Amino acid sequence: MMKNIQMLGVWVTATLMMHYTVANAQKYGIIPQPQSVVEREGEFRIDRKTVFLVSVDDSSFVEVAENLATRIKAVSGMKIYVKKGEGQSASKAVVFEKKEGMQIEEYALNISPRKIIITASHPNGLFYGVQTICQLLPPEIYGKRQTKGIRWSIPCCEIKDAPKFSYRGMMLDVGRYFMPKNFVMKFIDLLAMHKQNAFHWHLTEDQGWRIEIKKYPKLTEVGACRKETTGYEGAVGDGKPHGGFYTQEDIREVVEYARQRYVTIIPEIELPGHSSAAIAAYPELSCFPERNYEVPTGWGVKKDVLCPNAKTFMFLEDVFTELFDLFPSPYYHIGGDECPKDRWKESVYCQDLKKVLGIQTEDELQIFFVHRMDKFLREKGGKKIIGWDEILDGDAVPSTIVMSYRGHAPAMKALSRNMYTILTPNRWCYLDYYQEDPEKEQKSQGLFLPLKKVYNYYPISDTLSVDKHKFILGMQGCIWTEFIQTPDRVEYMAFPRTVAMSEVAWCDKSNKNWESFCERMVKEFKRLDQKEVGYSKAFYNVIFNFDRDEKYPKTLVLTLDMPKCIIRYTTDGSTPTSQSSVYREPLTVREGDCIQAQGFTAQGKPIGVEVSKIFK
Ligand code: ACM
């Protein structure tokens, strides 16, 4: 219970901003950018004389220190001793110090040549201090094996830091494509490394139910596998069965892994829509149990939804009761999006239920459904619910947290009712959208979302009245997997955009700077290499902006998001060189024209890869 109270505190505590300067941050290469970094002379070098001193008798502080010692041992072979209790001394020490009065995720670092002091009131803040130390170390600290010849030094400085937003999350859809447990843990580790604190696990979908529920074995025997994948309407199937699920043992392991990284796992059980896999396993959950159901093979919104009857409510209560034992998160996600009402309209039972409840519409029936589940989750599990923004259609439960995905309007509606909201507006936060030329990239969802657009997002608009700010808990990126079949593809789509997102959610607007971010990305890519993340480097490439529907001749605007670089281009089919024409103004292109473009640094060095396009 303590933990729950603490987490509640984490999410509803707004933080104050402090001073910082850009220049030193670039040198230190930390992402997300700390509030304040003051440069000092010298370095602290971790060697065999170094000891870790935990000044307080607090097992969570000791655990954070020991985990860092384990990491250092893994990559350097050096055994660092962790000494507990006050009054310890050492000639060279990292001190893990508890100080009352700091916010939950706040920390301070004082790094001098013989001593590092990490100060925090809570283990969450201490953990973030350690993440910053890791980023200050050579990237090999993130490696999988011991590396010889590395100087394990940390530049001296003083850092004060705390997040702007208390919810900093990522969602992964494992329903469309199952992602193995080990990958989920790698993903969580990458979130924690960037001080993100929420992993929203989209565990159930039309095309797959992914979590073992002991009382309902068919959910995974039947609901976790589809016979093939057909994609969107009309597509030809691939003929390959797809399936997978997490056992409750797996879930416990992942939850424990996340706990050690101060990441809260928010399970999502979709209701009443997006539930075809559950209905295929248990047809009695639908309004028409006598019909035949199978786990859908194609994407899109499905009409077979949960029927608001006693069997369904008993089923859901049983499912959540098993989940209460697995997920300590005080927040549970219940979906609520995209629930067509066709079946409820057809169903005599639903029409009668409307009369009994004295309601007129099927939308009100959905509100009844959600209210019932909210009551159960609150009263039996002590949980607060999060729902997709359809949850606002009608008389939403005031304690519900609204996840605003269809732009900002739902968030504004939630704020007008003084409801808490998490922003994930699709145009800025859906990381299944393209990040390079759709003609060149593997098929993705339709919109274009380059790294800079993610970075420039900010959850609070300039015009929002200050008294509403506290209702914006934070933001989240979403990875829907209709077109993301494998962990490698998740990595490519998620990184580096997730890194940008971590900075948006951690920093006050005044502390964000795209140029500085790009410079820090140089070190960040080395860190991601050590973590063996297969990220995209599309943001180094020239973007071709034109209207596909415009008639020829049409206007072509070339842009490059990398600061301090120029674009050179050719029109004769040759590869651009440092001597090619410099792009200065929009080009006029005719049908059949071929434009090839590449970015160059001020020193004439090419960046990224050449992008070419034949207009036809
Ligand atoms: C959603 O994108 N349907 C939440």
Side-chain angles (χ1 to χ4, degrees):
M1 199 55 204
M2 251 334 275
K3 234 179 225 139
N4 286 5
I5 290 166
Q6 198 175 73
M7 274 312 299
L8 240 101
V10 171
W11 286 13
V12 297
T13 311
T15 54
L16 291 171
M17 200 223 349
M18 297 167 83
H19 167 78
Y20 107 112
T21 57
V22 176
N24 52 24
Q26 291 168 6
K27 176 177 166 200
Y28 291 88
I30 304 161
I31 300 180
Q33 173 66 51
Q35 283 179 343
S36 128
V37 181
V38 179
E39 207 169 330
R40 294 275 182 255
E41 284 292 306
E43 63 178 29
F44 180 101
R45 193 168 162 200
I46 299 178
D47 56 26
R48 289 184 188 279
K49 286 192 276 256
T50 308
V51 289
F52 285 2
L53 306 178
V54 183
S55 69
V56 64
D57 185 16
D58 180 326
S59 60
S60 57
F61 271 53
V62 172
E63 183 183 66
V64 172
E66 279 176 347
N67 284 347
L68 178 60
T70 304
R71 173 112 299 272
I72 291 169
K73 174 96 172 34
V75 293
S76 72
M78 286 185 280
K79 167 105 182 93
I80 310 275
Y81 288 91
V82 178
K83 296 191 184 172
K84 297 162 210 169
E86 279 180 70
Q88 299 278 0
S89 66
S91 61
K92 202 166 197 194
V94 179
V95 182
F96 297 76
E97 188 176 79
K98 186 162 183 167
K99 180 179 151 193
E100 295 308 322
M102 293 168 81
Q103 294 161 39
I104 289 167
E105 297 183 298
E106 183 181 357
Y107 68 92
L109 278 177
N110 189 330
I111 302 170
S112 57
R114 303 210 67 79
K115 199 179 213 178
I116 294 180
I117 306 172
I118 318 173
T119 313
S121 295
H122 302 270
N124 312 56
L126 194 79
F127 177 79
Y128 291 142
V130 166
Q131 297 322 298
T132 298
I133 287 182
C134 287
Q135 292 202 1
L136 289 168
L137 277 161
E140 286 79 4
I141 187 70
Y142 294 103
K144 284 224 164 109
R145 52 198 71 84
Q146 209 170 307
T147 318
K148 295 234 162 13
I150 303 287
R151 198 180 158 82
W152 298 104
S153 68
I154 303 169
C156 292
C157 57
E158 278 176 55
I159 291 179
K160 288 191 172 24
D161 203 8
K164 170 74 183 174
F165 295 103
S166 55
Y167 184 102
R168 305 177 302 280
M170 285 297 296
M171 185 220 72
L172 182 63
D173 164 18
V174 295
R176 270 50 177 259
Y177 281 99
F178 175 71
M179 299 293 158
K181 176 190 72 177
N182 286 348
F183 174 70
V184 172
M185 294 201 284
K186 179 180 182 184
F187 192 69
I188 289 170
D189 191 45
L190 288 162
L191 301 189
M193 166 186 168
H194 298 99
K195 304 187 177 90
Q196 282 160 305
N197 63 2
F199 175 60
H200 167 183
W201 205 353
H202 187 79
L203 282 164
T204 68
E205 251 309 333
D206 289 312
Q207 298 83 7
W209 180 284
R210 305 284 176 223
I211 176 169
E212 176 192 28
I213 301 295
K214 305 264 190 209
K215 201 161 180 184
Y216 297 91
K218 283 198 275 180
L219 284 172
T220 42
E221 285 163 15
V222 175
C225 191
R226 60 178 179 265
K227 65 176 190 243
E228 63 171 346
T229 304
T230 49
Y232 281 105
E233 295 308 325
V236 179
D238 62 3
K240 289 188 228 152
H242 177 83
F245 68 93
Y246 310 100
T247 64
Q248 295 201 350
E249 262 326 285
D250 291 338
I251 299 281
R252 283 186 213 285
E253 193 182 335
V254 177
V255 168
E256 168 56 18
Y257 185 87
R259 184 199 63 76
Q260 290 193 21
R261 287 160 179 76
Y262 292 88
V263 172
T264 298
I265 299 187
I266 297 142
E268 180 182 356
I269 302 294
E270 274 270 19
L271 59 91
H274 288 286
S275 299
S276 305
I279 291 171
Y282 294 97
E284 60 270 33
L285 302 175
S286 75
C287 293
F288 299 95
E290 66 288 357
R291 294 183 186 170
N292 287 326
Y293 298 100
E294 61 172 29
V295 180
T297 58
W299 316 137
V301 175
K302 306 294 171 198
K303 290 187 178 153
D304 290 313
V305 303
L306 298 174
C307 189
N309 61 19
K311 279 199 174 128
T312 295
F313 289 121
M314 190 188 296
F315 164 80
L316 288 171
E317 291 178 9
D318 289 341
V319 166
F320 280 114
T321 300
E322 290 196 27
L323 259 55
F324 293 158
D325 233 26
L326 297 168
F327 295 100
S329 167
Y331 299 86
Y332 274 40
H333 202 303
I334 56 148
D337 61 323
E338 299 174 330
C339 177
K341 305 298 182 310
D342 306 59
R343 298 294 178 260
W344 292 0
K345 284 187 181 145
E346 260 184 81
S347 152
V348 175
Y349 166 79
C350 288
Q351 295 312 311
D352 286 348
L353 180 60
K354 271 170 40 187
K355 286 188 205 126
V356 172
L357 296 172
I359 57 177
Q360 312 302 319
T361 66
E362 282 68 29
D363 286 342
E364 288 167 282
L365 210 46
Q366 174 155 349
I367 295 162
F368 158 77
F369 200 124
V370 170
H371 278 219
R372 222 187 121 149
M373 291 319 300
D374 173 76
K375 187 167 179 324
F376 177 79
L377 282 152
R378 242 181 320 114
E379 290 178 1
K380 294 292 185 317
K383 309 296 181 190
K384 273 185 181 242
I385 62 168
I386 304 178
W388 297 111
D389 58 45
E390 282 92 337
I391 214 131
L392 280 170
D393 298 347
D395 178 21
V397 183
S399 59
T400 309
I401 296 168
V402 179
M403 196 163 259
S404 179
Y405 77 98
R406 294 175 297 179
H408 293 95
M412 295 310 291
K413 195 167 162 188
L415 295 176
S416 73
R417 298 184 194 175
N418 286 348
M419 289 169 75
Y420 285 100
T421 183
I422 294 163
L423 280 136
T424 180
N426 59 330
R427 285 171 181 275
W428 292 268
C429 298
Y430 272 25
L431 304 190
D432 52 332
Y433 290 163
Y434 285 101
Q435 52 191 331
E436 54 200 295
D437 185 348
E439 284 175 23
K440 303 277 160 61
E441 194 177 351
Q442 184 183 315
K443 175 102 181 98
S444 300
Q445 288 289 14
L447 300 183
F448 181 54
L449 179 53
L451 184 68
K452 190 174 180 182
K453 183 165 177 184
V454 174
Y455 188 84
N456 281 341
Y457 180 65
Y458 195 65
I460 301 178
S461 74
D462 291 340
T463 50
L464 185 70
S465 72
V466 174
D467 60 318
K468 299 290 182 191
H469 288 199
K470 65 173 183 286
F471 293 105
I472 297 182
L473 295 178
M475 64 176 290
Q476 148 172 315
C478 292
I479 301 177
W480 299 103
T481 56
E482 285 94 337
F483 296 109
I484 302 184
Q485 298 85 350
T486 61
D488 285 355
R489 190 69 193 160
V490 174
E491 289 183 7
Y492 188 80
M493 298 303 275
F495 291 92
R497 291 186 290 188
T498 299
V499 178
M501 222 158 238
S502 76
E503 183 143 313
V504 180
W506 183 271
C507 295
D508 185 81
K509 196 173 186 180
S510 62
N511 207 10
K512 279 172 64 189
N513 182 305
W514 171 248
E515 259 187 47
S516 155
F517 178 75
C518 290
E519 288 186 29
R520 284 176 285 129
M521 279 307 292
V522 175
K523 193 168 176 193
E524 173 68 19
F525 279 136
K526 293 188 182 139
R527 295 192 277 256
L528 295 179
D529 286 337
Q530 290 292 330
K531 288 268 194 194
E532 299 180 0
V533 177
Y535 51 84
S536 161
K537 279 196 170 178
F539 93 105
Y540 286 134
N541 300 340
V542 175
I543 298 169
F544 283 52
N545 308 274
F546 61 94
D547 180 354
R548 270 166 221 285
D549 299 329
E550 191 188 337
K551 289 204 170 59
Y552 290 104
K554 62 167 116 195
T555 306
L556 171 66
V557 175
L558 300 180
T559 53
L560 181 57
D561 287 341
M562 269 303 285
K564 299 183 191 153
C565 290
I566 54 170
I567 299 171
R568 292 184 184 272
Y569 71 100
T570 64
T571 55
D572 60 1
S574 65
T575 298
T577 67
S578 59
Q579 307 307 311
S580 302
S581 305
V582 176
Y583 173 84
R584 295 183 205 282
E585 57 189 23
L587 306 174
T588 302
V589 289
R590 291 181 175 72
E591 199 162 2
D593 280 357
C594 171
I595 308 288
Q596 285 170 260
Q598 180 145 19
F600 287 84
T601 63
Q603 294 74 37
K605 209 168 145 260
I607 59 156
V609 295
E610 165 201 327
V611 180
S612 66
K613 193 155 200 75
I614 300 173
F615 288 85
K616 54 179 189 222

